[in-house]
């Protein structure tokens, strides 16, 4: 006798729950005052407008932005690479500090610099998917476009034996459409809990201070793997990243691989 296992119904996202609640509350208030009944709907609309820009807020779908907090550990991640003018420096710095990081790479730049992809993996680091073109508005385009961006990067990296299991959306922006893309690609969204607001290394002064002043156990740190516009800014950026590494240690924290922090594999080798 074959027993069938009933699938659990999918859980409602916070956005779906909030939407149902807003409609229900509006219907309750409608007999009393139509103007007041509109308030919960307006608040829900405003929340939907703000939520995409809160990287740690899993409003539309599950988002990992922090890890375990029972140990004094953090994880380092670098977005937007690889780049021959920044990645080698970061790899050497990580070697000196005996730290492992995750590089969320763009498919387009990974295609241009396959040697750097191989070097990242050879040095003991992991790679995540950060879309193909890093279009800041891709989350608001058709789901088909978003899936195409993710899958294009997967194909580029698979040629080098790497299959990322985690996706970080450009600028950490989420949307309802990202949920469908994650289901279609079998990936999980990992954002961050600590960033320097460096605008893609265009604002590098006091970068270390902005990262370190509120750093806590379990944080996922996001920095950028792209060189600033001028050599003077590059020098400052290198000093600031060095200061981040030193400051983490001074605060009694240890950098661990992202997969250890979140108890989930980052990629697989094929």
């Amino acid at each position: 006798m074959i027993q069938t296992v009933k699938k659990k119904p999918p859980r409602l996202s916070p956005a779906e729950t909030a939407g149902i609640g807003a409609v229900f509350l509006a219907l309750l208030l409608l007999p009393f005052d139509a103007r007041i009944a509109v308030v919960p709907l307006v608040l829900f609309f405003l929340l939907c407008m703000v939520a995409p820009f809160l990287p740690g807020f899993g409003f539309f779908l599950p988002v990992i932005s922090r890890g375990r907090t029972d140990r004094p550990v953090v994880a380092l991640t670098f977005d937007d690479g690889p780049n021959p003018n920044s990645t080698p420096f970061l790899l050497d710095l990580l070697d000196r500090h005996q730290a492992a990081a995750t590089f969320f790479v763009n498919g387009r730049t990974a295609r241009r610099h396959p040697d750097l992809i191989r070097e990242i993996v050879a040095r003991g680091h992991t790679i995540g998917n950060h879309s193909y073109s890093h279009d800041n508005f891709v989350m608001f385009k058709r789901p088909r476009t978003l899936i195409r961006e993710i899958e294009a990067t997967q194909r580029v990296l698979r040629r080098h034996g790497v299959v990322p299991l985690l996706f970080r959306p450009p600028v950490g922006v989420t949307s309802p459409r990202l949920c469908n893309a994650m289901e279609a690609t079998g990936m999980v969204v990992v954002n961050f809990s600590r960033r320097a607001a460096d605008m893609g290394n265009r604002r590098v002064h006091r970068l270390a201070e902005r990262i370190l002043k509120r750093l806590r156990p379990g944080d996922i740190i996001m920095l950028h793997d792209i060189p600033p516009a001028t050599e003077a800014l590059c020098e400052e950026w290198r000093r600031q990243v060095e200061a981040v590494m030193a400051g983490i240690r001074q605060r009694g924290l240890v950098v661990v691989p992202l997969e250890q922090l979140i108890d989930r594999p980052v990629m697989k080798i094929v």
Side-chain angles (χ1 to χ4, degrees), residues 5-24:
V5 179
K6 293 183 179 180
K7 292 184 177 180
K8 294 181 179 180
R11 294 178 60 183
L12 295 178
S13 69
E16 292 168 326
T17 302
I20 293 171
V23 171
F24 181 71

Side-chain angles (χ1 to χ4, degrees), residues 103-211:
F103 290 76
F104 284 92
V105 303
N106 301 331
R108 180 174 292 163
T109 53
R111 181 172 58 84
R112 292 172 183 164
H113 306 291
D115 55 325
L116 292 178
I117 295 297
R118 291 191 291 267
E119 185 69 12
I120 288 170
V121 176
R123 299 267 197 118
H125 308 290
T126 50
I127 291 177
N129 188 316
H130 196 41
S131 81
Y132 186 81
S133 64
H134 199 280
D135 180 351
N136 290 344
F137 301 102
V138 72
M139 290 301 126
F140 307 108
K141 296 183 178 180
R142 295 181 302 173
R144 185 185 307 172
T145 301
L146 178 54
I147 293 171
R148 186 165 59 243
E149 282 268 327
I150 295 170
E151 291 182 339
T153 300
Q154 293 293 88
R155 287 194 296 271
V156 169
L157 295 172
R158 181 178 278 272
R159 296 187 197 116
H160 306 292
V162 175
V163 178
L165 303 174
L166 306 182
F167 175 71
R168 174 170 290 170
V171 203
V173 173
T174 59
S175 76
R177 297 172 180 181
L178 185 54
C179 185
N180 293 334
M182 292 297 95
E183 291 179 357
T185 58
M187 304 188 79
V188 174
V189 177
V190 170
N191 267 336
F192 41 83
S193 55
R194 192 63 56 222
R195 61 176 168 179
D198 55 22
M199 300 177 64
N201 281 343
R202 290 188 289 271
R203 182 172 170 256
V204 298
H205 296 292
R206 301 176 65 185
L207 181 153
E209 179 184 334
R210 295 194 297 272
I211 289 287

Side-chain angles (χ1 to χ4, degrees), residues 75 77 102 104 166 190 220 256-263 266:
T77 64
T102 296
F104 284 92
L166 306 182
V190 170
I220 298 175
V256 297
L258 178 60
E259 61 187 11
Q260 290 185 20
L261 188 73
I262 65 175
D263 292 323
V266 174

